Amino acid sequence: MSRLPLQYLAAFRAAAGTENLRAAAERLNLTHSAVSQQIRALETQLGFALFERQGRRIVLNAAGHTLRAGVERAYGELEQALQAAQALHGQTQRSLRVTVLPSFAQRWLMPRLGRWHARHPEVALELNASQAVVDLERDGYHLALRQGRGPWTGLINEPLFESTFLPVAAPALAHRLIGKPLESLACESLLGDAGMWTSWFEAAGKPQRNLVPMASFNDAGLLLQAAEQGMGIALCRELLAADALLDGRLVRLAHHCWLDGEQRGYHLVYPPGLKEDPALRAFCDWLKSEIALSSAALSGQPETATADR
């Protein structure tokens, strides 16, 4: 341990995570030169290099990767020890850092956070809404809500929900489609991915060719906002549209739902060391109970606009 200056580990960890000294400096609120000096001092003390310089990037070499793995484990154990010490000292207030897709945060999670706080005022949530897949342990997050099939190596995965896709539209457009056959949707302004629309029509038994949606989006929240504004018919996950369907901002256009076998569902993903963490366990259980409530409310939705024939 005498060869490992602990004061330089934060700089090493940030540089390893960003592969850029300037970005590491911003993360640590230090100057670029200060981080650079700390990295050089660490390498001098150890007697070997940890990074390879590639232009503006710095990339971990084999020794650097090995050291980083141990540093990350140590940081994780320190975090858990700190939480345990706070609990023994009676400091029950703590934060739970969660990374989640923007669409899920905007369309479903945010309207329900008041109920979470009312039930667990001792746990402050720190939400990161991003489409980027972050390294939980490296970036200090406790939990991720991820969409897809995985696998997420080294992390525990709990399935959260598999929400089917269905077509929805604003009330004015839906009213115009009342009683029309299902295939008539193909003649309207479609919103979303052409391939997914093609799969949906095929699964519904009404194959359509050469579908060209008027707009596509990289975020389901934007897709649903466009539908609410009357731009066209959106093919979206039922759960993300739940609140808009329940309060009448959107109308379901068909009974038929389609489950995308490639994207699959949403999952709760977290490091194994947090499996029994009380705050994380409480948040996961709360999410599951709220999703059950949403699903029950959606099951009582009225008939659809099209004739579904």
Side-chain angles (χ1 to χ4, degrees):
M1 290 300 295
S2 62
R3 298 183 60 201
L4 186 61
L6 298 181
Q7 68 270 29
Y8 300 146
L9 291 187
F12 167 74
R13 187 169 181 246
T18 61
E19 296 187 338
N20 183 284
L21 290 178
R22 191 170 302 280
E26 291 177 355
R27 177 177 292 186
L28 296 172
N29 198 27
L30 296 174
T31 64
H32 176 281
S33 61
V35 173
S36 180
Q37 289 171 10
Q38 290 185 24
I39 296 296
R40 285 199 300 270
L42 176 60
E43 292 177 325
T44 299
Q45 181 71 19
L46 294 175
F48 51 82
L50 299 168
F51 295 92
E52 294 178 2
R53 274 65 177 179
Q54 299 179 358
R56 294 183 178 181
R57 291 182 63 208
I58 55 171
V59 181
L60 287 170
N61 59 23
H65 278 292
T66 300
L67 179 60
R68 180 189 180 190
V71 168
E72 292 297 344
R73 286 195 298 270
Y75 266 83
E77 291 181 9
L78 284 171
E79 173 68 21
Q80 293 180 42
L82 176 60
Q83 292 172 9
Q86 289 174 331
L88 288 173
H89 192 62
Q91 295 181 2
T92 56
Q93 178 70 33
R94 61 158 296 186
S95 63
L96 189 66
R97 302 192 71 213
V98 181
T99 177
V100 59
L101 286 169
S103 55
F104 185 79
Q106 174 197 359
R107 301 295 308 196
W108 190 88
L109 182 57
M110 290 296 293
R112 292 162 175 79
L113 286 183
R115 293 206 287 268
W116 161 259
H117 180 69
R119 183 177 297 183
H120 295 280
E122 77 283 1
V123 181
L125 287 182
E126 296 182 27
L127 292 180
N128 170 54
S130 173
Q131 294 184 349
V133 179
V134 303
D135 186 315
L136 297 188
E137 294 184 288
R138 181 193 70 196
D139 296 326
Y141 287 98
H142 303 105
L143 175 70
L145 277 74
R146 290 183 175 167
Q147 175 188 323
R149 305 177 67 176
W152 294 288
T153 305
L155 299 172
I156 292 179
N157 164 32
E158 292 185 25
L160 184 59
F161 71 90
E162 286 193 352
S163 182
T164 53
F165 286 80
L166 75 165
V168 298
L173 175 54
H175 182 77
R176 183 163 58 79
L177 294 171
I178 291 177
K180 291 187 177 181
L182 195 63
E183 57 267 30
S184 67
L185 298 183
C187 300
E188 300 294 330
S189 297
L190 301 181
L191 303 172
D193 180 77
M196 293 176 66
W197 270 112
T198 299
S199 297
W200 182 84
F201 276 111
E202 288 178 351
K206 306 291 182 179
Q208 303 293 320
R209 296 289 179 262
N210 303 317
L211 294 172
V212 182
M214 67 170 294
S216 60
F217 306 85
N218 71 336
D219 180 79
L222 296 175
L223 170 70
L224 287 165
Q225 184 177 348
E228 288 178 5
Q229 293 175 354
M231 287 182 60
I233 301 172
L235 186 64
C236 66
R237 288 185 182 273
E238 184 177 28
L239 190 71
L240 296 186
D243 291 346
L245 290 169
L246 292 171
D247 63 23
R249 284 176 287 135
L250 290 173
V251 176
R252 179 175 180 156
L253 298 182
H255 288 292
H256 179 74
C257 293
W258 169 63
L259 183 62
D260 182 2
E262 291 300 319
Q263 293 193 29
R264 296 291 177 93
Y266 281 70
H267 303 258
L268 298 167
V269 180
Y270 52 87
L274 296 177
K275 183 177 181 180
E276 304 301 330
D277 181 86
L280 184 142
R281 189 71 266 149
F283 187 64
C284 292
D285 292 344
W286 175 80
L287 284 173
K288 293 176 181 179
S289 67
E290 287 289 336
I291 286 173
L293 289 174
S294 291
S295 299
L298 286 169
S299 66
Q301 278 292 99
E303 295 296 308
T304 59
T306 61
D308 270 7
R309 63 177 185 270

